[in-house]
Amino acid sequence: MGITETIKEQLRAVIQWEKPQEFQLFYKFTDKGDEIKNASKLILQPGQGCIFTHEGKIEGIFETEGLYDLKTENTPFFTTMKKVLNAFESEHKVGIWFYRKADINNIRWGTRIPIKYNDPVYAFPVHLRGYGNYSIKIVDVKSFFVSILAGQEDYFSYELQELFLSRITQPISNYLANAKFSYAEIDSHIEEIAKETQLKSLSVFEDLGFSLIDFRIEGTSFDEETNQRINEISNVQADVHASKIAGVDYAQMQQLKAMRDLAKNEGTAGASMGMFAGMSIAQNINPASSNPDLKTKLKELKELFDEGLIDEQEFKEAKAKLLP
């Protein structure tokens, strides 16, 4: 290799972050390993910053976009680095890390394990999952560079997810436990929950050197065990509503359902039970205290038939007893 080629390899006219990738937070400029020789220009695009290290120590941080002349005495740090930068063969090592100053939006998140708390209304454990997105911005690049990056050549925002999710689960669980939201109220309070989660997560990101710009919850779900409990409650609530329509209390409704199930059995016993159920329905629909008119009684009876609580034969028998 001739002297001309050697000199060309040792010179670097421009240093810049040429092809930033989406969600990339840090990028280490490399040329002949981490040895940078006689560099003359540093270009920072809008939304970019730069960290300059010498022999493993941070010596300069550039936070304003523009063109920097690495030889001019207008840049005090590089004035002290002249001998390093001008030495073709130097044991001294320098490093340049570009970082993203601009906002990083729509980073996806989702709970790895359910958030657990006790339902304040129904007193059973709720296992809740959530997912959504958040936006961040680097505000303390030196802190993150020293504490987290630790010399990595590249760092992407998705690498923050493990740190983030492992630290916010407990604060969210505590908030839901104190907020007294029943499982049925989660969706109607989703914006409030997101706002409180953001407030409780600010310190998590600040400790990492970031500002949490916003935090959004796009949806929630319950685990299978919680859904089973919810279905049981829904069934009971439906029965209570049906009993009110029929003019009987919940206990009577349960008796009627039990009779209805027995009446489905084949044989004389089943038929007799079905007739008894029809008679009981007619009697329970006509309590003396409520004194509903005939039209209301017939309407309630028809609703029982439409809901499948009685069959057609039972409906006809009960109807016949109500009509004069």
Side-chain angles (χ1 to χ4, degrees), residues 257-275:
K257 288 183 66 176
M259 294 175 184
R260 178 69 182 84
D261 292 338
L262 289 174
K264 292 180 180 179
N265 297 330
E266 296 181 355
T268 304
S272 299
M273 188 61 70
M275 292 178 62

Side-chain angles (χ1 to χ4, degrees), residues 183-230:
Y183 74 88
E185 299 175 308
I186 294 296
D187 288 343
S188 61
H189 289 84
I190 202 73
E191 291 186 5
E192 180 180 345
I193 296 173
K195 182 179 179 180
E196 290 297 324
T197 299
Q198 180 177 351
L199 291 174
K200 293 183 179 298
S201 303
L202 289 176
S203 62
V204 172
F205 282 91
E206 289 173 354
D207 291 344
L208 298 174
F210 288 85
S211 171
L212 179 59
I213 300 171
D214 66 20
F215 180 88
R216 302 177 187 275
I217 300 176
E218 298 176 11
T220 60
S221 62
F222 300 104
D223 71 343
E224 183 177 355
E225 186 176 357
T226 302
N227 279 325
Q228 289 177 351
R229 294 190 180 101
I230 292 173

Side-chain angles (χ1 to χ4, degrees), residues 22 27 36 60 91 115 171 179 198 201 205 246 273 284 287 314-315:
E22 186 178 13
Y27 160 73
I36 301 170
E91 73 280 7
I115 296 171
Q198 180 177 351
S201 303
F205 282 91
M273 188 61 70
N284 286 322
E314 294 166 347
F315 172 72

